[in-house]
Structure formats: structure tokens, C-alpha cells
Amino acid sequence: MKYNIEKINEIGKLLAEVVEDAIKGEGQAEVLIGEVEMVLRESLREVGRSALKSILENGAGEVETEIECACGGKLKYQRRRAATIWSVFGKVVYRRVYYAGCACGQGQAPVDSRYGIEPGKVTAGLAHLIALSGIQKAFEEGRKWLKEYLLFEVSENTVRAETQKMGELQRQAEAELVQTTQDEFELQKRERSQPPAPDLLYGSIDAAKVRIEPRHEKEKATEDREIWRDMKVGCWYEAETVPQRQQSVRQKDKIQREGVVLRAKNQQYFCDIEKAEEFGKLLWATGCAVGADRTRLLVFICDGALWIWNLIGHYFPNAIQIVDWYHAVDRLKRIAEEAFSNAQERQAWLENSTEDLWQARVEAVIEACQHLAKKSNLAKQSLLYYANNMERMRYAQFRAAGYLIGSGVIESGCKQIVAQRLKLPGAQWNVEGAVLTAKARTAWMSGNWHKLVSARSLLPLAA
Ligand SMILES: [Zn+2]
């Protein structure tokens, strides 16, 4: 939409007069800019409300005596009927032309369908801002923040509902993707119209615990009072080298040691509280959307729970599998802690075995653990861990090939989705609420938020 800037400037001058009058009327010795700003913001909100009201009351064109009903019958002009919407300017009550009297019993307000309005509800523009606060903060806290930004109040329940509606839209988009990628014919049809896949694509999967409050008697019985559930989180991403001027001190150190520093880009997150099998379908579907099924090289970096490698092996058998470097090293640290009381011996063992791991001499690491098996339970348990993951720990080869070897992307993803939102103080979740809020958050983190906002404004109107 284009608008006439000269007319807008006129309105600005008028508004300035209004505010100047108000300042004079106060008779105060000094008025600070903050006060002026506040009066202007409130005034602009009033201008917006009254303009919106006027547009909605006059926006359906001429009043007809009779119009066609969706059922094919006739609707007669009845009268103006009041409706309410919540907009970014606050509550707007408008009296719009209303038609009724069809045999099917449905009435119609043309202005509502013309602008995609659901009377009594929140506009898509306001819903987007409300949900944005709900994915960042506890709903009650989000409500308080919104009041500062919007200058009017919405309820905690509205924040929850709008946030979860965005999650629901994300879930629908994922469900559609799952459906088309489970169907071989649809998949082939899709592939022909897809943009080229990146040459090298990464994937990571992890899980984090979410506390669920069993609310209903039934839930308590069926879930056996199990209150911790795994939020499974996945991410697709690419890597790029960090330009020299953007390198942090830590990264400069890393370059000294490792020659190159990579960072993730184009992260696409997805999550669910589901069994591994169901999550696998989401992995495959989101993977197809970013070209994981067509890329030349696919690399998975994970911390290595068995269900994760099983899913990867099932859906992407040709992918390169890497155990996250930091998890593999952290285990050595914990073994050293447990096995040595002498700091010097501990340090020497750790340095040696870390260097072996770095150079992909996993057999030597296993041997080093074998020596400690009598002194440390963890060392004993780890024999199997390093033996099972030997091929996934060829770090020297992976580094030579220029791959990332750390799963920082997924660690950060779990932190952002679970720790920084679902674990905020005062949070009480059922599974549905936790999943929808988390899914809405992944849409924001993946840069897909505005797709959901458009999808929301295109939602079919409730009857
Ligand atoms: Zn009808």
C-alpha cells in the first residue's frame, strides 16, 4: 500500500498542536522529552484506533438491500452490528453493515471477510507481537513487557494462546512436510522443483529434559507420574569460516591451534516430545526441505545416544557420523578426575590421551583407559564407548577434510529452546503447551517466523 506523505505531514502538524496545547495547559516550568514522547505515543495510538474504526465502518462499500450468501441463498441487509477486535492500537469497537435472514441461518459482515477479521479476536499484526513475547519470556512476564511496548494490557492467557497458536501453525507446516516426504511419488515431484542442495550440509540431534506437571487424574495414571520428558531437538546447518575482523579472542587462539575456525549458518531447528520413531519422520521431512537427501556430503555431529545414531543410520545411511569432539574429550577429563589423586599424573595422562584423540589414535585412547580400568569405573565403562565410536572419532581425517567436529549448534539450540524458555521460573507445562511453545520458538530461531505470521493471517475465518 502506498500513502500520501503530504497528508501524513499535515496530520503530524495537527498532532504537534494538540501536544503543544497539552503542555501549555499543564503550566509546568519544564517538560522533559520523555513526557512529550509519551503523550505523542498515546495520541498516535488514539489516532490509529479511530482511523481503524472509521475504515472498518465504511470499508465495505455501498450498503445493498440484498447480497448473495455463501450457500447460494440470499442475505438481506439487517442493520449495523457492533464487533470488537484487538489491534496493535488496542481495542477497537466498530459498527459494521450486517446481512442476515438466509434460510441456512448464517449471517455475514462483508467488511470482516474483506479484511480477514475475526470479531472478538486479535489481529494478525498484534498476534505476531504477542507471540514474540511469549516465545522469549514466561507468559506473565511477557504480558508485563507488552504493556510497556503497546501501552495497553493483554491477559496472560492471551499471551499463552497466541504463542501456542504460532506453535500450532509450525506443527501443521511440519505435518504437511512429513506427509509429502513419506510418499515416494510426492517426494519425487517435490525434488524436481527444489533449489539445488548445498554441497556440504550438517545435521545434529540432541535431547533435553522438560518438566511436565501431571494435571489430570488420567494423565497421572497413564504416564505413571512421569514428570520429566525428553524434548528432542534437531538442527540442519551449513558452515562458513569466520572472517578475521570478526574473530573473538577465543577464536584467534583456536586458529593458532587448529588452523581454521568455522561457524554455523542457515540453522534450521526442529523439535518435539515424541518417540524416536516419530521424531525420525520429522528428521527426514525437515532434511528433505533443506536438501539433506540430495547434498553431496552430509555430516552428522552428535553426542552419541544410541537412538540418535540409529535414526541417522536408518534415514541417511551414507552420512558421515562424528561424535562431538567436546563430549569425547570431556569424558577423558572425567576419567582422569576419577583415576588420579596426583595432579601431575592426572594432567600428564589427560594431555597424552587428548592428543591421541586429536590425532585420531583411538586405539591408543582405549589402551590408556584399559590401564585405568582397575582404578576407575568410568574408564572401564568407556572402553566400550571409544570402541563403538572409533570410526566416529577419526578427528584427524575429519579436520583434514575441513569438517566441523563440535556440536555447539545443537548444544546452543537445546539451551535456547529448553533452558532459556521452558525452564524459566514459574513455568508449568503440559506436554502440548511445552511442545507448541518450543515449536514456535524454533520457527523464530530458524528465520521462519514471518512465514507463520502470513499463514496466520490467511487462516480461514471461524464461523
Ligand atoms: Zn445461506
Side-chain angles (χ1 to χ4, degrees):
M1 270 199 284
K2 278 189 181 157
Y3 56 85
N4 183 329
I5 191 71
E6 277 154 30
K7 277 192 175 176
I8 297 286
N9 286 339
E10 282 301 311
I11 297 169
K13 279 179 197 153
L14 283 173
L15 204 53
E17 283 175 26
V18 171
V19 175
E20 277 161 15
D21 283 350
I23 292 171
K24 277 179 206 152
E26 287 290 304
Q28 277 172 258
E30 49 181 327
V31 177
L32 299 176
I33 187 70
E35 275 177 88
V36 176
E37 248 179 340
M38 205 57 198
V39 173
L40 263 175
R41 281 182 70 194
E42 287 286 6
S43 313
L44 282 169
R45 195 163 79 80
E46 281 307 320
V47 169
R49 261 154 50 98
S50 106
L52 202 51
K53 179 181 164 73
S54 169
I55 289 165
L56 294 177
E57 291 191 338
N58 305 311
E62 296 290 305
V63 178
E64 313 274 349
T65 46
E66 214 177 60
I67 62 166
E68 211 158 286
C69 178
C71 77
K74 294 282 179 203
L75 285 163
K76 290 187 180 55
Y77 172 67
Q78 204 195 18
R79 59 191 159 91
R80 283 186 177 259
R81 259 199 202 184
T84 305
I85 49 164
W86 290 89
S87 73
V88 290
F89 309 110
K91 183 180 175 181
V92 177
V93 181
Y94 60 108
R95 300 184 61 79
R96 80 270 204 243
V97 174
Y98 195 82
Y99 298 87
C102 178
C104 75
Q106 296 287 322
Q108 200 188 313
V111 76
D112 291 347
S113 29
R114 174 171 176 196
Y115 289 111
I117 293 169
E118 233 182 316
K121 299 283 168 63
V122 167
T123 64
L126 177 59
H128 141 62
L129 297 179
I130 292 176
L132 203 50
S133 84
I135 59 166
Q136 305 289 359
K137 300 179 176 301
F139 298 127
E140 169 57 17
E141 188 65 13
R143 186 190 71 77
K144 289 184 197 157
W145 275 69
L146 280 167
K147 193 183 165 196
E148 298 297 320
Y149 282 101
L150 297 169
L151 304 180
F152 62 90
E153 295 213 42
V154 295
S155 71
E156 183 186 348
N157 276 339
T158 303
V159 181
R160 179 184 292 106
E162 291 303 334
T163 305
Q164 297 187 352
K165 198 179 277 182
M166 292 295 263
E168 183 57 49
L169 289 169
Q170 175 64 23
R171 181 156 72 181
Q172 278 170 22
E174 288 171 357
E176 273 167 40
L177 209 52
V178 166
Q179 195 156 27
T180 51
T181 52
Q182 288 292 310
D183 182 324
E184 192 56 39
F185 175 72
E186 285 291 331
L187 194 60
Q188 280 175 10
K189 205 168 73 181
R190 239 180 128 261
E191 262 173 33
R192 285 193 291 271
S193 61
Q194 290 289 303
D199 195 48
L200 167 57
L201 184 71
Y202 290 90
S204 285
I205 303 170
D206 205 350
K209 298 275 181 214
V210 181
R211 194 191 153 97
I212 300 296
E213 304 283 331
R215 279 209 286 203
H216 310 294
E217 282 307 311
K218 220 170 133 194
E219 239 173 77
K220 281 182 195 171
T222 53
E223 289 182 13
D224 198 25
R225 289 190 138 271
E226 179 195 351
I227 55 168
W228 291 96
R229 298 285 297 271
D230 265 340
M231 178 69 75
K232 296 184 169 72
V233 180
C235 185
W236 298 105
Y237 51 104
E238 293 166 62
E240 62 183 2
T241 50
V242 184
Q244 203 174 2
R245 64 196 145 73
Q246 289 176 21
Q247 287 163 6
S248 66
V249 175
R250 199 174 60 88
Q251 286 171 327
K252 287 193 172 118
D253 280 356
K254 213 174 159 197
I255 290 201
Q256 290 287 313
R257 283 195 321 269
E258 302 170 19
V260 67
V261 181
L262 297 169
R263 70 178 170 198
K265 65 169 182 179
N266 301 338
Q267 292 94 322
Q268 293 290 309
Y269 291 95
F270 53 98
C271 68
D272 216 332
I273 297 180
E274 266 294 358
K275 294 201 172 69
E277 195 190 334
E278 283 304 307
F279 190 73
K281 291 179 190 163
L282 185 59
L283 171 72
W284 172 246
T286 53
C288 290
V290 294
D293 54 333
R294 312 185 297 283
T295 179
R296 190 176 65 83
L297 264 174
L298 179 60
V299 176
F300 275 95
I301 312 167
C302 304
D303 83 346
L306 192 59
W307 68 269
I308 293 176
W309 296 127
N310 285 346
L311 277 189
I312 293 167
H314 178 74
Y315 283 102
F316 301 100
N318 297 324
I320 294 162
Q321 302 183 354
I322 302 179
V323 166
D324 169 45
W325 163 254
Y326 301 97
H327 277 85
V329 169
D330 183 64
R331 188 176 275 258
L332 291 177
K333 280 183 197 151
R334 286 185 290 129
I335 292 170
E337 290 288 327
E338 197 176 279
F340 295 98
S341 49
N342 179 305
Q344 260 178 334
E345 281 176 21
R346 185 191 310 138
Q347 194 56 27
W349 184 89
L350 187 57
E351 269 171 26
N352 274 332
S353 47
T354 302
E355 181 61 16
D356 281 336
L357 197 60
W358 184 244
Q359 301 302 345
R361 294 187 293 260
V362 188
E363 295 81 352
V365 175
I366 295 175
E367 227 181 272
C369 288
Q370 224 143 22
H371 286 306
L372 303 183
K374 278 196 186 125
K375 283 197 276 181
S376 152
N377 237 337
L378 187 61
K380 204 169 144 190
Q381 289 161 17
S382 300
L383 293 173
L384 205 59
Y385 170 79
Y386 288 110
N388 284 344
N389 286 308
M390 205 177 275
E391 292 310 313
R392 300 183 182 119
M393 293 182 176
R394 299 294 179 202
Y395 294 114
Q397 287 94 311
F398 300 148
R399 285 188 291 119
Y403 302 153
L404 277 169
I405 56 170
S407 64
V409 171
I410 198 70
E411 310 279 315
S412 143
C414 280
K415 210 178 281 171
Q416 289 180 66
I417 294 166
V418 180
Q420 291 176 1
R421 180 59 190 93
L422 299 185
K423 284 189 183 162
L424 289 177
Q428 282 204 344
W429 301 105
N430 55 15
V431 172
E432 181 80 349
V435 166
L436 292 180
T437 305
K439 281 187 186 288
R441 200 161 157 84
T442 60
W444 173 258
M445 288 161 58
S446 309
N448 297 325
W449 185 258
H450 286 277
K451 275 189 222 162
L452 293 190
V453 175
S454 320
R456 192 196 182 282
S457 47
L458 294 175
L459 278 185
L461 300 183

